[in-house]
């Protein structure tokens, strides 16, 4: 989830975090839609070491672990693995009870990911000719954002990856995700429809209010507090979602609202 992001900072002169401001006029922050699986750079806020200040950088969206040494290994790993998102519950310990690959980033590479909206598909049950509910579903894409905000901050974890073969290094990051709030549970609903007896565990990006974003970036915090912030659930009543074109990734304005006939309200 949240593999599709959009950033439109068209009216802002500065990116502001608490009392810190950075000019954005020379930065490429207007990106109507970008797919994570294209493995391109995305704008993040990175703290400047030793200062209560930050820089805005374009960084490779994919947290590459230390056991990947070259591009060939990376491309092979992508066939079965994805490191675009990091589950908040697994920042320090993975599902097997072992030390997580994201531990380094959670302790020493916390960053903020800039976004204006993201996309998720809501699955609607199809209705048969006799009016019966079918097992098949129709995916309707939604654009999701924070009310009255041109941009917001998502928690991210970052590490420097070294391409040993080329003797080059670059920052790489993943978006931290948490359990879905009430709004996102209604949208990110495919597993719930397909297997209602199982725990669907819908997710959403960890969107942070300014105070928590500042603490995530600059705070001298321990593992418990890192986990607490990483698991923050942004209030559903402060978010907004609307249906968009099924081919939103192929049009000029992917965030335009589209009216679908007989679409149940959220």
């Amino acid at each position: 989830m949240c593999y599709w992001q959009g950033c439109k900072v068209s009216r802002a002169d500065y990116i502001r975090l608490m009392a810190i401001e950075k000019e954005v006029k020379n930065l490429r922050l207007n990106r109507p839609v970008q797919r994570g699986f294209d493995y391109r750079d995305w704008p993040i806020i990175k703290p400047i070491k030793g200062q209560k200040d930050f820089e805005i950088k374009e960084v490779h969206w994919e947290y590459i672990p230390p056991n990947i040494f070259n591009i060939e290994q990376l491309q092979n790993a992508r066939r079965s693995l994805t490191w675009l998102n990091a589950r908040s519950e697994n920042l320090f310990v993975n599902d097997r009870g072992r030390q997580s690959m994201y531990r380094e980033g959670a302790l020493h590479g916390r960053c903020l990911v800039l976004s204006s909206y993201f996309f998720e598909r809501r699955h609607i049950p199809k209705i048969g000719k006799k009016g019966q509910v079918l097992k098949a579903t129709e995916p309707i894409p939604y654009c999701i954002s924070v009310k009255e905000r041109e941009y917001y901050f998502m928690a991210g974890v970052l590490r420097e990856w070294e391409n040993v073969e080329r003797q080059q290094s670059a920052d790489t990051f993943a978006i931290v995700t948490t359990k879905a709030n009430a709004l996102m549970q209604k949208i990110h609903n495919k597993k719930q429809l397909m297997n209602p007896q199982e725990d669907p565990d819908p997710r959403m990006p960890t969107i942070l209010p300014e105070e928590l974003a500042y603490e995530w970036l600059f705070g001298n915090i321990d593992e418990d507090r890192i986990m607490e912030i990483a698991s923050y659930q942004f209030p559903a009543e402060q978010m907004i979602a609307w249906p968009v074109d099924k081919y939103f990734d192929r049009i000029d304005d992917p965030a335009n609202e589209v009216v679908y006939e007989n679409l149940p309200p959220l």
Side-chain angles (χ1 to χ4, degrees), residues 40-51:
R40 291 184 286 144
D41 291 352
W42 184 262
I44 69 162
I45 289 176
K46 180 182 178 181
I48 297 174
K49 190 174 182 180
Q51 301 180 48

Side-chain angles (χ1 to χ4, degrees), residues 5-25:
Q5 293 286 337
C7 194
K8 292 187 71 176
V9 187
S10 56
R11 297 187 299 274
D13 296 319
Y14 299 89
I15 292 291
R16 295 177 176 87
L17 176 60
M18 303 298 283
I20 308 173
E21 295 183 340
K22 295 292 178 182
E23 281 190 297
V24 298
K25 62 182 180 181

Side-chain angles (χ1 to χ4, degrees), residues 212 215-216 221-231:
L212 288 183
E215 186 177 0
W216 179 262
I221 51 181
D222 60 18
E223 291 187 16
D224 289 342
R225 183 56 177 163
I226 291 171
M227 290 287 293
E228 187 176 1
I229 298 176
S231 301

Side-chain angles (χ1 to χ4, degrees), residues 14-137:
Y14 299 89
I15 292 291
R16 295 177 176 87
L17 176 60
M18 303 298 283
I20 308 173
E21 295 183 340
K22 295 292 178 182
E23 281 190 297
V24 298
K25 62 182 180 181
N26 295 322
L27 297 172
R28 298 188 305 115
L29 297 187
N30 289 320
R31 305 167 185 222
V33 62
Q34 183 171 313
R35 189 177 76 124
F37 289 105
D38 289 335
Y39 300 112
R40 291 184 286 144
D41 291 352
W42 184 262
I44 69 162
I45 289 176
K46 180 182 178 181
I48 297 174
K49 190 174 182 180
Q51 301 180 48
K52 290 294 178 69
D53 197 2
F54 65 79
E55 58 181 333
I56 304 173
K57 293 186 65 178
E58 296 179 49
V59 171
H60 181 75
W61 180 8
E62 177 191 29
Y63 186 101
I64 305 176
N67 61 339
I68 301 293
F69 302 108
N70 56 48
I71 295 297
E72 183 180 1
Q73 283 185 338
L74 179 59
Q75 291 174 339
N76 288 334
R78 285 173 179 166
R79 296 173 183 173
S80 58
L81 300 169
T82 175
W83 303 304
L84 298 171
N85 295 339
R87 293 171 65 92
S88 57
E89 302 91 329
N90 297 139
L91 289 182
F92 293 104
V93 179
N94 63 26
D95 290 333
R96 297 180 180 180
R98 299 174 181 173
Q99 182 171 297
S100 170
M101 59 176 278
Y102 297 108
R103 179 181 177 83
E104 176 188 350
L107 288 173
H108 308 297
R110 296 189 302 277
C111 63
L112 298 173
V113 184
L114 280 170
S115 186
S116 298
Y117 48 78
F118 64 97
F119 298 91
E120 186 65 69
R121 288 181 172 87
R122 177 190 181 196
H123 286 256
I124 307 299
K126 290 185 176 181
I127 306 299
K129 294 180 179 180
K130 298 181 180 181
Q132 76 278 23
V133 177
L134 303 176
K135 289 185 177 180
T137 63

